[in-house]
């Protein structure tokens, strides 16, 4: 075969690969637009305010519980305060520790991991949480934030919280492969990247001295098996049942972390 034919053949092969790459990107871009239209924002962008002292009739000073992260941590999709993730965790923690629990939610709908620093900065300097729960990562995946960058922000937040004297529990990135409103192959890709981020988050939590709960394994199958029951109106955020199951998965680690601090 002549050199010119080899060069031509190589050029055609590279062109074919390039076309496939760009075609794949175009497909994923179209599917992302479809997913955004399907999901929309029927729940708005404001979660319920569940911050209060839960089980105030119990004896003893309240346990200070802080929630940081994204819309899941903020409880978007719950129709009652007691059904938010914070409300569920506060009630469960009070029941296990036989003490009232004061909930403070710093989580903000739509946040990526980079927003954790700002959420912490907004907390008064005098505030000292006993235990902090961080649930973040879904928006990092949908906005294609590099895993290493997401994890660096998470580790920084954990370090800040530990300097404040708080025990920390990280709920790792949920399984975005469970989102049936997202078409294929984008859903499979989202599931793969969310799994990679969850694994990295768990490793980061361990390095930084925090506990972690693998939400993909703990509750992901429930969202896959019962999407109508576990998802809220937008088929993206949890329903009351979804938050209940998520809180049940997190609670043992949150209670253990709180006890270890005492």
């Amino acid at each position: 075969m002549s050199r010119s034919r080899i060069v031509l053949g190589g050029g055609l092969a590279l062109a074919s690969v390039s076309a496939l790459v760009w075609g794949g990107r175009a497909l994923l871009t179209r599917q992302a637009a479809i997913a955004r239209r399907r999901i929309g924002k029927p729940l708005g962008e404001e979660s319920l305010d569940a911050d209060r002292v839960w089980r105030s009739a119990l004896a003893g000073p309240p346990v200070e519980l802080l929630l940081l992260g994204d819309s899941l941590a903020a409880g978007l999709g719950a129709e009652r305060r007691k059904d938010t993730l914070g409300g569920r965790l506060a009630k469960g923690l009070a029941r296990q520790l036989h003490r009232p629990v004061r909930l403070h939610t710093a989580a903000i709908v739509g946040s990526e991991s980079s927003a954790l620093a700002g959420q912490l900065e907004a907390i008064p300097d005098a505030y000292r949480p006993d235990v902090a729960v961080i649930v973040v990562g879904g928006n990092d995946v949908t906005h294609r934030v590099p895993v290493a960058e997401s994890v660096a922000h998470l580790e920084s937040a954990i370090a800040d919280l530990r300097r404040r004297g708080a025990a920390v529990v990280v709920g790792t990135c949920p399984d975005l492969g469970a989102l049936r409103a997202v078409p294929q192959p984008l859903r499979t890709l989202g599931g793969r990247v969310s799994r990679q981020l969850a694994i990295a988050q768990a490793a980061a939590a361990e390095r930084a001295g925090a506990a972690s709960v693998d939400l993909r394994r703990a509750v992901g199958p429930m969202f896959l098996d019962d999407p109508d029951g576990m998802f809220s109106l937008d088929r993206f955020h949890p329903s009351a049942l979804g938050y209940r199951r998520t809180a049940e998965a997190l609670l043992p680690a949150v209670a253990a972390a709180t006890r270890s601090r005492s």
Side-chain angles (χ1 to χ4, degrees):
M1 183 180 293
S2 69
R3 177 180 176 85
S4 61
R5 288 185 179 180
I6 293 174
V7 171
L8 178 59
L12 289 173
L14 288 173
S16 298
V17 170
S18 178
L20 286 172
V21 169
W22 283 106
R25 288 178 178 175
L27 173 62
L28 293 178
T29 299
R30 288 196 301 273
Q31 290 189 333
I34 292 170
R36 284 193 292 270
R37 287 197 300 271
R38 287 180 179 176
I39 294 168
K41 293 185 179 180
L43 304 174
E45 297 184 357
E46 295 293 330
S47 57
L48 295 176
D49 182 3
D51 288 1
R52 50 172 280 192
V53 176
W54 293 84
R55 299 291 190 261
S56 58
L58 293 173
V63 174
E64 299 290 343
L65 170 63
L66 172 65
L67 258 66
L68 298 160
D70 55 22
S71 53
L72 202 162
L76 185 66
E79 297 181 357
R80 300 178 297 179
R81 294 191 301 176
K82 68 179 183 179
D83 291 327
T84 62
L85 182 63
R88 286 284 182 186
L89 284 174
K91 288 187 298 178
L93 190 59
R95 184 170 57 251
Q96 290 207 15
L97 301 183
H98 306 291
R99 286 175 57 188
V101 174
R102 181 183 288 112
L103 174 65
H104 180 81
T105 305
I108 299 174
V109 174
S111 290
E112 300 173 11
S113 298
S114 59
L116 293 173
Q119 293 176 16
L120 285 165
E121 288 174 3
I123 297 171
D125 291 338
Y127 176 68
R128 290 293 181 268
D130 294 304
V131 60
V133 177
I134 303 174
V135 182
V136 73
N139 294 309
D140 296 68
V141 174
T142 59
H143 296 159
R144 295 182 291 182
V145 178
V147 169
E149 182 179 329
S150 298
V151 166
H153 289 300
L154 176 63
E155 284 194 81
S156 178
I158 295 172
D160 188 320
L161 288 163
R162 286 179 57 79
R163 283 193 295 269
R164 294 172 185 245
V168 183
V169 176
V170 175
T172 60
C173 184
D175 181 9
L176 298 195
L179 300 175
R180 296 190 180 182
V182 178
Q184 295 286 17
L186 184 60
R187 189 194 317 161
T188 297
L189 178 61
R192 183 183 306 128
V193 177
S194 62
R195 181 167 58 252
Q196 292 170 349
L197 178 55
I199 292 170
Q201 287 176 324
E206 182 177 0
R207 288 194 301 269
S212 67
V213 176
D214 187 339
L215 295 180
R216 179 181 62 86
R217 290 186 177 180
V219 296
M222 301 179 194
F223 281 89
L224 284 168
D225 293 342
D226 183 20
D228 293 336
M230 296 290 286
F231 283 108
S232 62
L233 177 65
D234 66 357
R235 295 178 292 171
F236 187 86
H237 294 91
S239 64
L241 177 60
Y243 280 119
R244 176 183 173 184
R245 299 305 186 204
T246 303
E248 288 171 349
L250 287 164
L251 186 58
V254 176
T258 309
R259 291 190 181 101
S260 69
R261 186 184 177 280
S262 302

